[in-house]
Amino acid sequence: MNKIIAVTIGDIKGIGIQNLIRLWKDNKIEKFIFFTNKNILINYFNQKNINININIVEEKNLGNRNIDYKKYINIYNFKAKNNDENTYKSLILSYKYTKKNYFMGIVTLPLNKA
């Protein structure tokens, strides 16, 4: 079984992303693929003045064990028109690839307080 975790975007306006980044920078979480639309994530990083290198991981490379998890936030990019669609597709796609055994499990960042 693969030792990589799929991480869903949750609510981009929430605190989940900041917590994930802090844990990653502190080396408390390492091997994960973040499921989100690249442009939405980059816009978030720009708004919060976060400077982190990202690496796009394509479907054919999801099982690749040679991905650099320490230098980059690795994301599985997909098309999304808005934040709600991004959250929904993140859940659907992370589940799909976890069922195919690309990941050992899923961590879902907080979705919405409402």
Side-chain angles (χ1 to χ4, degrees):
M1 177 182 284
N2 208 334
K3 301 272 185 196
I4 302 167
I5 297 171
V7 177
T8 68
I9 187 74
D11 183 358
I12 194 117
K13 297 174 187 167
I15 194 166
I17 297 172
Q18 293 172 0
N19 288 337
L20 177 72
I21 290 169
R22 187 182 72 249
L23 290 169
W24 176 72
K25 283 183 174 181
D26 291 345
N27 294 315
K28 299 203 188 251
I29 182 173
E30 183 180 314
K31 292 188 175 187
F32 67 92
I33 304 288
F34 200 28
F35 281 73
T36 186
N37 174 272
K38 174 185 75 169
N39 295 329
I40 290 175
L41 184 64
I42 288 172
N43 287 338
Y44 174 84
F45 283 174
N46 289 339
Q47 289 173 0
K48 300 290 183 180
N49 294 319
I50 297 171
N51 188 16
I52 294 178
N53 294 323
I54 62 169
N55 177 48
I56 306 299
V57 179
E58 297 178 5
E59 180 178 0
K60 66 182 179 182
N61 293 323
L62 285 176
N64 186 343
R65 296 179 189 260
N66 297 320
I67 295 172
D68 189 345
Y69 292 99
K70 292 187 179 196
K71 188 175 178 181
Y72 301 100
I73 293 281
N74 293 286
I75 68 168
Y76 180 81
N77 182 43
F78 51 83
K79 293 180 183 180
K81 297 174 191 164
N82 55 46
N83 293 341
D84 291 339
E85 184 177 26
N86 190 43
T87 299
Y88 177 74
K89 283 187 170 182
S90 178
L91 290 164
I92 297 300
L93 291 169
S94 64
Y95 177 77
K96 171 184 172 181
Y97 292 116
T98 301
K99 289 295 285 180
K100 290 184 176 184
N101 293 319
Y102 285 113
F103 304 102
M104 65 183 283
I106 301 170
V107 171
T108 303
L109 297 183
L111 294 172
N112 189 314
K113 289 181 183 177

